Amino acid sequence: SRISETVVHESFYPLGFGRPRRILKDYARNTLWLYSNTAILELLVDRESRFVAQQLLDKGNYDGALEYADSHEMRNKVYLAKAEATFARGELEESAAAFAQVTGISFEDVALRFVGSGSVSALKVLLREKLDSLPKRAAAQRTLLATWLPHVLC
């Protein structure tokens, strides 16, 4: 991997095709070809991006990791890591926006972290972003969040 500079996948070449000579890329068809003394083989690249999101996350490239996150669990993991990292750096409004996208954690605990930090603007971001991210059918959750807004805004 060019990102982590580690081997992500290894395939073994069958010796019956002779000594490998070179790997070439067909840019017109976006394919890879390996040729030897006796054969030409197409190299199939399958789900190349499956490890990219985790590698970018490990490097702290949260926006890049979100682009490659292919599941809800991975996106949630990226948003949580971004929220924690930005909170630790004191970028509270960015942290609040990321925390608002995270599912499976206590909203009250997150809100109390921002109350404890003394950042009313970050708390406003958290409440607004969370309210915007909830579906219309989540009436009870939306009502509870809406009751917080007047207390924060005053």
Side-chain angles (χ1 to χ4, degrees):
S1 167
R2 291 182 188 171
I3 297 169
S4 64
E5 299 178 1
T6 61
V7 174
V8 177
H9 179 76
E10 225 173 24
S11 292
F12 295 97
Y13 175 76
L15 297 176
F17 292 113
R19 184 172 166 254
R21 293 296 221 188
R22 195 171 198 181
I23 296 177
L24 299 172
K25 181 170 185 169
D26 178 351
Y27 288 97
R29 294 188 177 152
N30 201 25
T31 55
L32 293 173
W33 297 89
L34 177 130
Y35 72 89
S36 70
N37 295 340
T38 60
I40 298 174
L41 304 171
E42 182 180 6
L43 301 176
L44 299 176
V45 180
D46 183 37
R47 294 178 34 217
E48 186 177 21
S49 65
R50 65 182 162 208
F51 302 111
V52 174
Q54 184 62 52
Q55 291 174 350
L56 291 170
L57 177 59
D58 292 344
K59 292 231 178 226
N61 184 346
Y62 306 111
D63 295 332
L66 282 172
E67 285 182 40
Y68 286 96
D70 59 355
S71 68
H72 172 72
E73 291 78 19
M74 189 63 197
R75 282 188 297 280
N76 206 43
K77 186 176 179 180
V78 173
Y79 277 122
L80 182 58
K82 180 179 183 177
E84 293 290 356
T86 52
F87 190 90
R89 288 193 307 260
E91 300 167 7
L92 300 181
E93 290 183 20
E94 187 175 347
S95 176
F99 267 121
Q101 301 303 317
V102 177
T103 59
I105 61 171
S106 167
F107 175 78
E108 292 80 7
D109 290 343
V110 173
L112 289 173
R113 283 177 75 174
F114 288 104
V115 168
S117 74
S119 177
V120 175
S121 61
L123 187 56
K124 287 179 189 178
V125 169
L126 176 69
L127 290 170
R128 286 188 184 130
E129 294 279 333
K130 192 65 173 177
L131 194 57
D132 289 343
S133 73
L134 288 173
K136 302 287 185 209
R137 66 181 182 279
Q141 288 176 300
R142 292 175 68 83
T143 303
L144 283 171
L145 282 177
T147 59
W148 280 56
L149 283 173
H151 298 290
V152 172
L153 296 174
C154 296

